[in-house]
Amino acid sequence: MLEIRDVTQRFGGLTALNRVSLNVPAGKVIGLIGPNGAGKTTLINAISGLAHPTEGQIYFGDRAIQRMPPHRITQLGISRTYQNIRLFGEMTVLENLIVAQHGLGRSSILGSVLTLPGFRAEQRLLQQRAGALLTQFELSDKASQRAGALPYGDQRRLEMARALATRPKLLLLDEPTAGMNPIETEALGTEILELRQKGLAVLVIEHDMALIHQVCDEIYVLNFGQIIAHGTPNQIKNNPLVIEAYLGEEG
Amino acid sequence: MLNAYQETVFQFMLRDALLGLSIYLTLVTGMFSLANAGFLAIGAYISAVLWKYLGVPLEGALVIAPLACALIALPIGLPVLRLKDIYLAIATIGFGEVVRIMIINFDKIAQGVTGQPNLVITNGGAGISGIEKLAQTWQLILVLAVVAFLIYRLHRSRFGRAMAAIRQDERAAATMGINVVYVKVMIFVFSAALAGLAGVFDAFLARAIKPNDYGFTQAVNILAYAVLGGTSTLFGPIFGAFGLRVLPEALRFSQQFRGVLIGVLLLAVIIYLPGGLINPAAWNRLWVRLRGRRSGAVQGGG
């Protein structure tokens, strides 16, 4: 479904990603781990179109997306969350979920200003979908609260709900458990597995190894911008290269 | 009801309100653009020239001038809107200056191109005078009401939400499927058309226009409408425009202190009500703050 081929990302003299290749098959959960500064978020930014790679190709299905603007990539079916939550803080919880469906709307600027009949029907549909997500993520009673005023855990859940509101086929999660306690982390793991059951592919950046083992079918390990290992969670756990990257060489 | 002087002030209030809405559109989309004075000039000059040399009436100008401004805004917006914040402000001030200087030198260029050394169109720095005062109060009210209504509808549409999303977090907005460049350029174009519309009324109210009416000072005045009224609702900049047109008239008695008084007022708003005067949430906070201080003082005294 998502195929990354030899992607290199340079910022001036710094090579943040060096010939990275990675596959996310349909309906699988793929983990991406690595020490801080390894280039994990850079890779997610490249996939979502926020920074175009210097070299290499990114295919989604059979379309090359490495030069597409972010909104086109989202409309094709790739959605993401952010490591440092980036909700629309002044909007309500409900509005966050409605604005995320922007790309699904069809009404033109003129059509929506003049309130042509199609506009109202579309509005109702957006409201319904947002309502369903509120229920799924247990945010219904907070629908009219300002997103920026929510407690941290709720903000994380809302960000995931907002990502799903774009109706993705592939979900990119950038450290979704950052700042969560173990109970919340496990609940999130269950949530990810439920999404996989519904046919969603997931690429998840994570430091929490318990979560990685709970949800991932395969793991890629990134270090200094290069993939140094790829395999099942058990293969990765015992890979000496990975242990070295995380803990340093044995003295 | 109103005497001639009061009616003229009222008409200029309505024209300023259109300008206030023009800058409001860009501000609520997160664009700090000061191009409005430039488009105001273009609208006013197009109206004046068309009327003077081709006899086009106000109604014709109301169609032609906004369209022309929109067409000019499109190629300008595409490259310029890559800039943000203060950089966008400086670039758009630059645009306003280019417009002003092009108007001053327009005749020389036209003379060179046509080969007619006596050709006069914009009349350089002296400007165009002797324009008939064709603008009627009811026309201004009608145009302002229609524009305000359309902006209100825009707000409630998916584009209105997209505008707010772009203001709050542009990158997040883009990854939520919003075509940020498209929305920004369209809003910049609407804003330009609106300033052009105000320009039509400007020409047919002021009766004489000159390039220096549309310089940096005008650009900052328009921004002040939004600062005074705030941009949390579209009534903010309308109120701000009304206020900054009425105050100088009402403060005529204070003579040379007039500017100082208005400056102090603006400063007070910026410090105590940073969201502008039309901002319920800020009033609430101010109230709580003042009340808190008073009860704190009582406790301190006891």
Side-chain angles (χ1 to χ4, degrees):
Chain A
M1 171 175 250
L2 179 79
E3 195 182 342
I4 298 172
R5 289 186 200 155
D6 289 328
V7 161
T8 296
Q9 179 75 277
R10 289 193 199 93
F11 299 110
L14 180 83
T15 305
L17 295 172
N18 192 1
R19 297 179 67 87
V20 169
S21 296
L22 181 153
N23 276 312
V24 183
K28 297 269 190 212
V29 178
I30 305 299
L32 180 63
I33 63 173
N36 287 327
K40 303 184 296 290
T41 298
T42 309
L43 187 64
I44 296 247
N45 284 346
I47 300 170
S48 50
L50 288 176
H52 300 304
T54 323
E55 287 163 28
Q57 291 90 41
I58 303 174
Y59 284 92
F60 185 59
D62 48 8
R63 306 179 78 144
I65 61 168
Q66 71 271 8
R67 288 273 166 267
M68 279 188 190
H71 70 273
R72 286 275 302 132
I73 293 174
T74 307
Q75 285 168 14
L76 284 177
I78 301 181
S79 189
R80 68 170 292 176
T81 64
Y82 290 87
Q83 185 181 348
N84 46 342
I85 302 173
R86 297 182 83 149
L87 291 166
F88 304 118
E90 296 167 32
M91 293 187 199
T92 67
V93 171
L94 183 69
E95 282 169 338
N96 265 277
L97 296 181
I98 290 179
V99 80
Q101 301 178 62
H102 183 88
L104 305 169
R106 286 287 157 267
S107 59
S108 65
I109 291 190
L110 215 61
S112 39
V113 168
L114 301 176
T115 326
L116 303 176
F119 170 74
R120 290 224 182 98
E122 191 177 289
Q123 284 288 90
R124 268 199 301 278
L125 190 64
L126 300 188
Q127 295 267 3
Q128 275 169 17
R129 287 187 191 144
L133 282 166
L134 286 176
T135 318
Q136 187 186 340
F137 284 88
E138 293 164 18
L139 290 164
S140 299
D141 51 331
K142 291 169 177 155
S144 54
Q145 284 186 27
R146 226 167 48 80
L150 288 180
Y152 188 81
D154 286 347
Q155 290 199 12
R156 281 252 170 243
R157 283 218 307 285
L158 176 58
E159 233 210 359
M160 203 143 139
R162 187 182 66 167
L164 290 173
T166 66
R167 307 208 121 188
K169 302 184 187 90
L170 168 66
L171 185 62
L172 312 172
L173 299 174
D174 194 349
E175 295 199 22
T177 69
M180 280 188 176
N181 65 38
I183 296 164
E184 289 169 328
T185 302
E186 209 186 319
L188 186 95
T190 316
E191 192 72 55
I192 293 174
L193 290 174
E194 275 170 23
L195 294 175
R196 187 181 68 167
Q197 271 190 337
K198 290 180 189 161
L200 204 71
V202 181
L203 176 65
V204 53
I205 293 180
E206 206 23 268
H207 283 303
D208 189 299
M209 293 314 283
L211 181 84
I212 288 284
H213 283 96
Q214 184 191 353
V215 302
C216 290
D217 298 297
E218 291 171 37
I219 296 173
Y220 287 83
V221 186
L222 199 62
N223 193 24
F224 293 115
Q226 283 180 303
I227 299 285
I228 56 165
H230 167 216
T232 64
N234 280 327
Q235 287 169 338
I236 294 299
K237 195 156 67 177
N238 302 317
N239 187 319
L241 276 172
V242 178
I243 295 166
E244 187 190 310
Y246 268 94
L247 303 175
E249 281 176 75
E250 256 177 273
Chain B
M1 190 169 62
L2 296 176
N3 65 36
Y5 158 73
Q6 287 166 333
E7 179 158 11
T8 303
V9 172
F10 184 51
Q11 287 170 331
F12 274 101
M13 282 162 62
L14 295 164
R15 182 212 66 158
D16 292 348
L18 284 174
L19 289 170
L21 288 179
S22 167
I23 199 168
Y24 169 78
L25 275 179
T26 45
L27 285 175
V28 294
T29 317
M31 296 183 278
F32 189 13
S33 162
L34 296 177
N36 314 71
F39 289 114
L40 175 72
I42 293 171
Y45 266 88
I46 285 178
S47 310
V49 168
L50 286 180
W51 181 81
K52 194 149 190 174
Y53 298 100
L54 300 171
V56 177
L58 179 131
E59 290 79 4
L62 279 180
V63 177
I64 298 169
L67 275 178
C69 285
L71 284 177
I72 295 166
L74 196 61
I76 299 217
L78 275 170
V80 166
L81 295 178
R82 289 167 166 267
L83 303 171
K84 269 183 212 155
D85 306 328
I86 196 77
Y87 302 100
L88 178 61
I90 289 169
T92 47
I93 289 171
F95 164 76
E97 280 302 285
V98 168
V99 168
R100 193 177 65 86
I101 288 162
M102 273 182 68
I103 290 172
I104 292 176
N105 295 301
F106 189 82
D107 288 350
K108 281 183 205 142
I109 300 165
Q111 284 159 6
V113 171
T114 58
Q116 293 174 284
N118 298 321
L119 187 69
V120 172
I121 298 175
T122 62
N123 197 23
I128 303 174
S129 54
I131 309 164
E132 231 176 293
K133 190 178 172 181
L134 293 175
Q136 304 291 321
T137 308
W138 68 266
Q139 292 170 326
L140 276 153
I141 295 175
L142 182 68
V143 168
L144 180 63
V146 168
V147 166
F149 178 69
L150 290 180
I151 293 177
Y152 170 74
R153 288 317 267 272
L154 181 67
H155 268 312
R156 300 181 49 115
S157 76
R158 73 187 183 110
F159 291 95
R161 288 189 298 267
M163 288 156 69
I166 291 170
R167 182 187 70 237
Q168 290 172 45
D169 192 329
E170 197 174 315
R171 278 163 81 89
T175 53
M176 289 301 125
I178 294 167
N179 188 342
V180 173
V181 176
Y182 174 77
V183 173
K184 276 181 151 185
V185 170
M186 287 310 283
I187 295 302
F188 186 71
V189 166
F190 288 159
S191 166
L194 203 45
L197 206 57
V200 178
F201 287 115
D202 195 58
F204 289 112
L205 280 175
R207 304 176 64 192
I209 57 175
K210 56 182 192 300
N212 287 350
D213 295 341
Y214 308 106
F216 179 64
T217 316
Q218 178 66 268
V220 173
N221 275 339
I222 298 172
L223 178 64
Y225 304 157
V227 170
L228 181 66
T231 52
S232 46
T233 79
L234 64 93
F235 298 108
I238 295 179
F239 178 85
F242 282 6
L244 284 176
R245 174 61 65 176
V246 169
L247 270 177
E249 306 296 333
L251 294 175
R252 265 182 199 283
F253 68 89
S254 61
Q255 295 174 2
Q256 65 264 50
F257 292 109
R258 194 159 64 160
V260 177
L261 288 175
I262 292 169
V264 167
L265 171 79
L266 270 176
L267 213 56
V269 168
I270 290 166
I271 293 170
Y272 292 106
L273 289 163
L277 287 172
I278 307 294
N279 183 351
W283 279 107
N284 225 353
R285 274 197 300 275
L286 185 70
W287 170 242
V288 169
R289 197 168 127 192
L290 290 176
R291 206 177 41 184
R293 187 178 295 168
R294 202 173 307 145
S295 61
V298 169
Q299 277 166 10

